[in-house]
């Protein structure tokens, strides 16, 4: 028996949410935007899930941590 090769489905590119919203600088006071980057359990979503660039992901992570410190967002 010859092994059957499975075809890969093409990966769908994640949509950059910051680019779609027109945000150039992430602000820790914008809680509605930051909530989109937090899972239902309170964890920061990974870059492969959000589709952000490394610089944007770092900005979002720092903003979420600052918002948590100011008690605007929950800790996990």
């Amino acid at each position: 028996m010859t092994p059957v090769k499975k075809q890969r489905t093409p990966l769908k590119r994640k949509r950059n949410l910051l680019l779609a919203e027109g945000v150039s600088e992430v602000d820790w006071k914008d809680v509605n935007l930051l909530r989109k980057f937090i899972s239902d359990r309170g964890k920061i979503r990974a870059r492969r899930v959000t589709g952000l660039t490394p610089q944007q992901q770092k900005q979002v992570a720092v903003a979420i941590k600052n918002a948590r410190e100011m008690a605007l967002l929950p800790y996990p």
Side-chain angles (χ1 to χ4, degrees), residues 30-48:
D30 192 359
V31 179
N32 291 329
L33 177 69
L34 294 178
R35 282 192 193 278
K36 296 176 184 177
F37 298 104
I38 298 179
S39 69
D40 57 342
R41 309 206 62 188
K43 293 184 173 187
I44 300 173
R45 294 190 191 272
R47 220 184 109 227
R48 61 185 167 77

Side-chain angles (χ1 to χ4, degrees), residues 24-65:
S24 59
E25 197 70 28
V26 182
D27 189 18
W28 60 270
K29 293 172 278 211
D30 192 359
V31 179
N32 291 329
L33 177 69
L34 294 178
R35 282 192 193 278
K36 296 176 184 177
F37 298 104
I38 298 179
S39 69
D40 57 342
R41 309 206 62 188
K43 293 184 173 187
I44 300 173
R45 294 190 191 272
R47 220 184 109 227
R48 61 185 167 77
V49 176
T50 61
L52 299 177
T53 65
Q55 293 85 7
Q56 289 172 331
Q57 182 70 21
K58 184 67 178 171
Q59 281 183 354
V60 166
V62 169
I64 288 173
K65 290 174 185 178

